[in-house]
Amino acid sequence: EAGVAQSPRYKIIEKRQSVAFWCNPISGHATLYWYQQILGQGPKLLIQFQNNGVVDDSQLPKDRFSAERLKGVDSTLKIQPAKLEDSAVYLCASSLGPQVELFFGEGSRLTVL
Amino acid sequence: AQTVTQSQPEMSVQEAETVTLSCTYDTSESDYYLFWYKQPPSRQMILVIRQEAYKQQNATENRFSVNFQKAAKSFSLKISDSQLGDAAMYFCAYSGGGADGLTFGKGTHLIIQP
């Protein structure tokens, strides 16, 4: 069974530029998550989707971050404009539902210069 | 808001020995779930073990077991017969009884000495 796919794996941009990350969850997983993992810290939930609806985006900096889940499958996370403090690994995860095992992708590492 | 605290930034253990990683959490909910995830270097995070708060019996998965103390809000992970492949960051995580995502601790870096 294919795992959670993310791209790009690495991205380097200048501050104030924009960037987009893509995630393809495991087939049949209704719940999709985006986490931000800053070096030396645990992952922080940015947004949670149930099918194509948003369940929780309370920690998403909505002035610069946006996310959507197309047709309840793939998802994109966009940052515009990027700041230095956005340098992190962006992890996508999916699950059959809440409280059960999350399956993580390999992450997209963003460096903002 | 729920918080998860891992007080050991780094732990080291000899191969074949036993190590315990600590985790405490803060919540006002009575129904919740606790997890330990493993993140090997440059590889994706995988689930090690899961515990439902309503279950008194501690979860076990082969060499991995937990000591769940609900009253103390403590959830430690014991790794028996440590192997070189156990070297990784270990994250304790909490999920509430609703449709919540996971809240993670800061992690413990586990080093296995050959």
Side-chain angles (χ1 to χ4, degrees), chain A residues 6-45:
Chain A
Q6 290 190 245
S7 68
R9 289 292 312 279
Y10 305 92
K11 189 74 176 179
I12 301 174
I13 61 173
E14 301 278 337
K15 61 183 178 183
R16 291 187 291 274
Q17 288 187 324
S18 62
V19 63
F21 301 111
W22 172 83
C23 173
N24 179 239
I26 292 173
S27 177
H29 281 194
T31 311
L32 185 147
Y33 312 79
W34 282 102
Y35 282 87
Q36 179 193 58
Q37 186 175 19
I38 293 173
L39 186 65
Q41 298 183 20
K44 181 183 84 171
L45 179 66

Side-chain angles (χ1 to χ4, degrees), chain A residues 58-70:
Chain A
S58 57
Q59 299 190 88
L60 186 74
K62 298 180 185 65
D63 57 334
R64 298 183 300 105
F65 285 65
S66 64
E68 61 180 359
R69 189 175 185 192
L70 305 172

Side-chain angles (χ1 to χ4, degrees), chain A residues 82-109:
Chain A
K83 292 185 175 181
L84 296 177
E85 59 261 36
D86 298 332
S87 294
V89 176
Y90 291 85
L91 299 169
C92 179
S94 70
S95 68
L96 289 170
Q99 291 98 33
V100 297
E101 180 178 3
L102 268 63
F103 292 83
F104 285 84
E106 292 183 309
S108 294
R109 182 178 298 275

Side-chain angles (χ1 to χ4, degrees), chain B residues 55-71:
Chain B
K55 288 188 176 179
Q56 292 187 338
Q57 187 173 7
N58 289 324
T60 63
E61 287 288 342
N62 300 313
R63 296 183 296 107
F64 299 87
S65 62
V66 298
N67 183 5
F68 173 47
Q69 301 289 328
K70 191 171 184 178

